[in-house]
């Protein structure tokens, strides 16, 4: 059914956000972190996470956005895009 397909798609979108969040947290490789944030920015431009994931994700993004480097700028962009 259409509702079932929509729920599956929402679950996949949330899974993408969670995997990118994981990649960009405590990753010792700065280039990998930067690429993860670039991917997060692209994803945010295409689709939003579900409501239950959005609040904790925004809390995380807001904390990261305080950084003055490229990662902070990307996090600010994602917050602006998702809100």
């Amino acid at each position: 059914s259409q509702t079932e397909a929509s729920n599956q798609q929402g679950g996949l979108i949330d899974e993408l956000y969670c995997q990118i969040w994981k990649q960009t947290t405590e990753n010792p490789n700065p280039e990998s972190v930067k690429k993860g944030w670039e991917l997060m920015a692209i994803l945010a431009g295409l689709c939003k996470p579900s409501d239950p994931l959005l609040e904790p994700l925004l809390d995380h993004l807001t904390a990261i956005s305080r950084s003055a480097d490229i990662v902070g700028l990307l996090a600010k962009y994602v917050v602006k895009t998702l809100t």
Side-chain angles (χ1 to χ4, degrees):
S1 76
Q2 190 172 10
T3 302
E4 186 177 313
S6 178
N7 287 342
Q8 278 186 321
Q9 183 179 10
L12 290 174
I13 290 167
D14 281 359
E15 181 65 24
L16 283 169
Y17 274 101
C18 288
Q19 289 299 321
I20 296 168
W21 188 348
K22 183 177 176 182
Q23 177 186 336
T24 58
T25 304
E26 297 181 23
N27 184 335
N29 183 334
E31 188 60 26
S32 177
V33 171
K34 180 178 172 259
K35 287 179 180 180
W37 281 104
E38 290 168 349
L39 187 57
M40 178 91 71
I42 292 167
L43 182 61
L46 296 172
C47 50
K48 286 187 174 187
S50 67
D51 288 341
L53 181 59
L54 185 58
E55 187 175 339
L57 180 62
L58 286 174
D59 288 345
H60 173 69
L61 292 167
T62 301
I64 298 299
S65 71
R66 294 184 184 112
S67 175
D69 59 7
I70 185 67
V71 168
L73 291 174
L74 288 166
K76 283 178 191 157
Y77 171 81
V78 175
V79 168
K80 185 176 179 180
T81 302
L82 292 177
T83 55

